[in-house]
Amino acid sequence: MPQPATLTRIGSKIKVNLDRVRDRIPPNLITQLENDPRGTVRDYKMTDGTGIGVVLEFSNGQKSWFFEDEIK
């Protein structure tokens, strides 16, 4: 039986693990994460069947989504 997902609450502040995402994100987002890796959870995103990702909003208003294993 599958385990229920434990979701980070919307509105929570979390950090992105830059080492895990560096190879898949654009340079401007890398710069943002190097300056401040914290974001606010705004929504969830269904991934390719392996889980649920989170949509983060950063201090500059930019939004991006991340897999569960890419955040702290």
Side-chain angles (χ1 to χ4, degrees):
M1 176 177 265
Q3 295 291 331
T6 303
L7 300 175
T8 305
R9 290 182 150 230
I10 290 181
S12 297
K13 301 258 187 206
I14 58 175
K15 290 183 180 181
V16 176
N17 184 338
L18 185 57
D19 293 332
R20 291 190 168 234
V21 298
R22 190 179 297 273
D23 63 335
R24 76 164 187 90
I25 60 175
N28 65 326
L29 187 52
I30 289 173
T31 302
Q32 167 65 34
L33 294 175
E34 287 174 338
N35 292 327
D36 185 4
R38 296 170 296 166
T40 304
V41 177
R42 293 295 181 210
D43 204 355
Y44 306 111
K45 178 171 176 67
M46 193 67 175
T47 62
D48 59 359
T50 59
I52 299 173
V54 293
V55 177
L56 297 181
E57 182 176 5
F58 299 99
S59 60
N60 65 357
Q62 184 175 1
K63 291 182 184 177
S64 190
W65 74 273
F66 299 90
F67 290 104
E68 294 174 280
D69 66 338
E70 297 173 336
I71 57 175
K72 303 177 190 178

